């Protein structure tokens, strides 16, 4: 047999495998925090599938996170598991000291993975200067250095950070004696070519800074389904460590699936593959630990409420959100499920006239309430002025945010019949439009207020008439 996969040039040997399940994995919105005995069981299973390094968590996140990280570190030590250990920290003194405490109480070195974002978009949003970023790295790295624990600089969103900024951040890492720099594709932006270019650049830059021995890690997310390909590209380009999580759980779309990563790296670097039984057991254990008791085990409760004026009487589980009830039990799919964690506003509905995020509202909490969804706007006897105005002003592009925008605006117009543009902006400020059509949306709500009062500024225009073509661009918000 001929294997076309073999013989690809690689600059170094197989990178170490870093398991981030108990840190990044637990940041998934879909998992539960497992009890410590399950975390410990998972730790042992990691050893059986060839994991080299394990993240013990983010100890500064709270007393439980600290306690668990210490317990896990002690277990690694007591059971002589073949791991090195890391723990995450923001680039602050307090967070680094929490990792130092874990290291001391566990009786073994725990490397600080101190993270900070330096991409232009993050700096713009946070108002961070490059000097501030470098200062935070230097200060937190110094805390680790004085405590004698190794330090890794984790650069969030590295794949969208310009070379000059990266050079300056690498310089800070070198100045503080970092053992390693972790290159991150935190938003799943990169493709394999970009990853290879970034790794080559980082290696070259560190060499030019006189620190060629500084190691590189790769941490990639799966927003575009490329995380495994990117991890392999990073490995081929010569990083020293690659991150993954059980089942690929992690922030938003998740991380690189560890089950795939260990197999792919074995094949790529011609090493023995972990036994499939061990990988299956790891996967099953992680699923059981992270998903917790299945929600289908919950008893059903009776719920009565009114939805768009009609009485509803259903049996539902205590954990059911109002959003799930509307979309999946009542078939009212006009209300959108966007982030499902209170960030985007796409799920906005009215409960007793007030806008609420249905994804964060338990259905049982709406006992006896009057819930109004976007479907109500299309009712007889006439189209709601908001729908008419959104249509005329071209206020929907992809339309994903539109139901939430409409319901937030509906609540506004119910309490203020002639809102100012500022009041409109404030009413929709919790609703994100990823197409960024805010100008047209504010125009539309302003027009809806006029239509509702009988003042139609374009009398010849009829409702539902296609909006005239308008060029894209800023529309005077
Ligand atoms: S889906 Fe509820 S806020 Fe995004
Ligand atoms: S129209 Fe696309 S998200 Fe707002």
């Amino acid at each position: 047999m001929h294997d076309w996969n073999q013989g690809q040039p690689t600059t170094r040997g197989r990178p170490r495998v870093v398991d981030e399940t108990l840190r990044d994995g637990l940041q998934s919105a879909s998992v539960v925090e497992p009890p410590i005995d399950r975390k410990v069981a998972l730790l042992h299973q990691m050893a059986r599938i060839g994991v080299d390094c394990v993240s013990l968590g983010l100890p500064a996140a709270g007393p439980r996170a600290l306690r668990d990280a210490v317990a896990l570190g002690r277990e690694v030590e007591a059971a002589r598991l073949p791991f090195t250990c890391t723990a995450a920290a923001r680039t602050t003194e307090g967070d680094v000291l929490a990792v130092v405490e874990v290291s001391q109480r566990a009786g073994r070195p725990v490397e600080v993975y101190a993270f900070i974002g330096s991409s232009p978009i993050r700096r713009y949003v946070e108002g961070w200067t490059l000097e501030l970023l470098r200062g935070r790295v230097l200060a937190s790295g110094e805390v680790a250095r004085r405590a004698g624990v190794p330090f890794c600089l984790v650069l969030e969103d590295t794949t969208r950070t310009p070379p000059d900024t990266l050079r300056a951040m690498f310089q800070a890492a070198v100045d503080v004696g970092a053992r390693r720099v972790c290159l991150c594709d935190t938003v799943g932006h990169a493709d394999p070519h970009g990853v290879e270019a970034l790794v080559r650049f980082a290696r070259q830059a560190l060499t030019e800074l006189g620190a060629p021995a500084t190691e590189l890690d790769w941490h990639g997310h799966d927003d575009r389904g490329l995380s495994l390909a990117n991890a392999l590209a990073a490995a081929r380009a010569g990083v020293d460590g690659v991150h993954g999580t059980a089942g690929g759980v992690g922030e938003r779309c998740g991380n690189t699936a560890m089950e795939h990563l260990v197999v792919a790296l074995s094949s790529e670097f011609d090493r023995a593959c972990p036994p499939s039984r061990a990988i299956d057991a790891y996967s099953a254990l992680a699923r059981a630990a992270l998903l917790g008791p299945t929600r289908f085990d919950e008893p059903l409760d009776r719920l009565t409420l009114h939805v768009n004026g009609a009485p509803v009487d259903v049996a539902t589980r205590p954990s059911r959100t109002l959003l799930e009830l509307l979309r999946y039990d009542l078939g009212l799919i006009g209300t959108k499920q966007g982030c499902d964690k209170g960030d985007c506003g796409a799920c906005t509905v009215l409960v007793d006239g007030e806008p609420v995020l249905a994804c964060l509202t338990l259905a049982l909490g709406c006992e006896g309430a009057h819930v109004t969804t976007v479907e109500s706007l299309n009712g007889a006897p006439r189209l709601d002025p908001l729908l008419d105005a959104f249509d005329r002003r071209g206020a929907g592009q992809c339309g994903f945010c539109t139901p939430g925008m409409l319901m937030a605006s509906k609540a506004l117009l119910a309490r203020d019949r002639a809102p100012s543009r500022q009041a409109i902006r404030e009413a929709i400020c919790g609703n994100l439009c990823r197409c960024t059509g805010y100008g047209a949306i504010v125009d539309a709500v302003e027009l809806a207020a006029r239509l509702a009062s009988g003042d139609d500024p374009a009398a010849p225009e009829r409702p539902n008439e296609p909006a005239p073509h308008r060029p894209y661009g800023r529309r005077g918000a």
Side-chain angles (χ1 to χ4, degrees):
M1 172 177 113
H2 181 80
D3 184 352
W4 287 95
N5 290 337
Q6 296 298 320
Q8 300 295 320
T10 55
T11 52
R12 295 187 176 206
R14 171 193 177 274
R16 66 196 185 116
V17 173
V18 182
D19 195 311
E20 282 263 344
T21 307
L22 297 175
R23 202 279 303 167
D24 194 0
L26 296 187
Q27 288 185 228
S28 162
S30 311
V31 307
V32 297
E33 176 91 23
I36 187 64
D37 58 325
R38 291 203 161 199
K39 289 185 181 178
V40 167
L42 190 55
L43 207 57
H44 282 265
Q45 206 55 45
M46 289 173 190
R48 297 188 185 107
I49 64 165
V51 166
D52 304 294
C53 173
V54 63
S55 175
L56 306 179
L58 176 59
R64 179 175 173 187
L66 177 65
R67 205 172 49 234
D68 282 8
V70 171
L72 291 168
R74 284 180 175 160
E75 181 66 18
V76 173
E77 183 68 15
R80 298 189 181 286
L81 295 175
F83 299 139
T84 55
C85 295
T86 73
R90 290 165 297 176
T91 44
T92 66
E93 178 175 354
D95 277 30
V96 174
L97 285 175
V99 180
V100 172
E101 182 177 344
V102 172
S103 183
Q104 290 169 345
R105 289 173 57 192
R108 60 172 299 120
V110 177
E111 184 167 348
V112 178
Y113 268 44
F115 56 87
I116 193 159
S118 56
S119 70
I121 192 163
R122 185 73 190 276
R123 286 174 56 192
Y124 173 74
V125 168
E126 307 279 2
W128 288 341
T129 63
L130 190 52
E131 272 322 294
L132 179 141
L133 295 177
R134 282 175 41 78
R136 283 181 57 173
V137 173
L138 293 173
S140 55
E142 180 59 20
V143 175
R145 196 189 61 73
R146 271 193 269 116
V149 295
F151 184 80
C152 166
L153 174 60
V154 181
L155 283 173
E156 291 176 326
D157 210 0
T158 327
T159 51
R160 297 192 299 178
T161 304
D164 287 351
T165 308
L166 288 180
R167 262 191 218 98
M169 298 303 284
F170 292 165
Q171 177 75 66
V174 170
D175 290 347
V176 85
R179 171 184 287 183
R180 143 178 35 248
V181 171
C182 180
L183 309 174
C184 299
D185 188 27
T186 336
V187 295
H189 159 80
D191 67 20
H193 299 296
V195 175
E196 285 174 29
L198 175 62
V199 173
R200 272 199 308 274
F201 166 80
R203 189 68 74 197
Q204 173 77 25
L206 287 165
T207 302
E208 286 166 9
L209 291 170
T214 305
E215 295 193 359
L216 292 173
D217 268 16
W218 171 257
H219 178 102
H221 281 259
D222 201 36
D223 301 55
R224 295 204 289 154
L226 291 173
S227 66
L228 182 63
N230 287 341
L232 286 180
R236 254 185 236 128
V239 296
D240 305 278
V242 185
H243 298 197
T245 62
V249 290
E251 296 171 80
R252 300 182 325 281
C253 297
N255 208 290
T256 308
M258 183 59 75
E259 295 87 334
H260 298 156
L261 184 63
V262 289
V263 173
L265 286 177
S266 304
S267 145
E268 190 73 23
F269 291 90
D270 206 15
R271 297 262 297 254
C273 189
S276 57
R277 266 199 322 277
I279 297 176
D280 287 348
Y282 165 84
S283 204
L285 199 59
R287 259 203 312 277
L290 299 173
L291 297 181
T294 151
R295 296 204 288 172
F296 296 104
D297 297 339
E298 293 177 277
L300 298 179
D301 278 316
R302 242 345 337 117
L303 169 66
T304 56
L305 72 167
H306 284 80
V307 178
N308 297 332
V312 170
D313 184 353
V314 289
T316 190
R317 298 189 302 276
S319 62
R320 200 79 165 150
T321 64
L322 178 58
L323 178 60
E324 292 168 330
L325 180 89
L326 292 171
R327 286 182 60 87
Y328 307 121
D329 298 338
L330 305 182
L332 294 170
I333 56 172
T335 304
K336 296 299 176 219
Q337 189 165 19
C339 63
D340 214 17
K341 57 178 185 173
D343 283 344
C344 72
C347 64
T348 305
V349 298
L350 307 187
V351 174
D352 294 333
E354 290 300 321
V356 302
L357 299 176
C359 71
L360 296 185
T361 304
L362 288 176
L364 286 178
C366 298
E367 174 68 30
H370 287 260
V371 175
T372 312
T373 71
V374 71
E375 282 85 357
S376 70
L377 303 187
N378 202 17
R382 64 188 275 259
L383 197 64
D384 191 284
L386 273 167
L387 281 189
D388 187 2
F390 268 59
D391 181 26
R392 292 199 206 182
R393 291 290 179 259
Q397 294 180 56
C398 80
F400 202 83
C401 69
T402 308
M405 292 285 186
L406 286 167
M407 297 316 290
S409 306
K410 186 75 183 164
L412 170 69
L413 295 184
R415 63 175 188 273
D416 183 352
R417 292 168 58 177
S420 64
R421 292 181 72 80
Q422 181 59 24
I424 296 170
R425 286 194 198 99
E426 284 170 14
I428 62 169
C429 70
N431 296 72
L432 301 182
C433 175
R434 58 190 174 188
C435 305
T436 62
Y438 296 106
I441 293 169
V442 175
D443 289 348
V445 179
E446 202 173 33
L447 174 60
R450 291 179 66 180
L451 294 177
S453 69
D455 172 17
D456 187 339
E461 266 185 39
R462 289 189 304 281
N464 291 331
E465 197 172 45
H469 173 74
R470 297 169 64 93
Y472 289 110
R474 193 167 166 79
R475 302 181 198 199

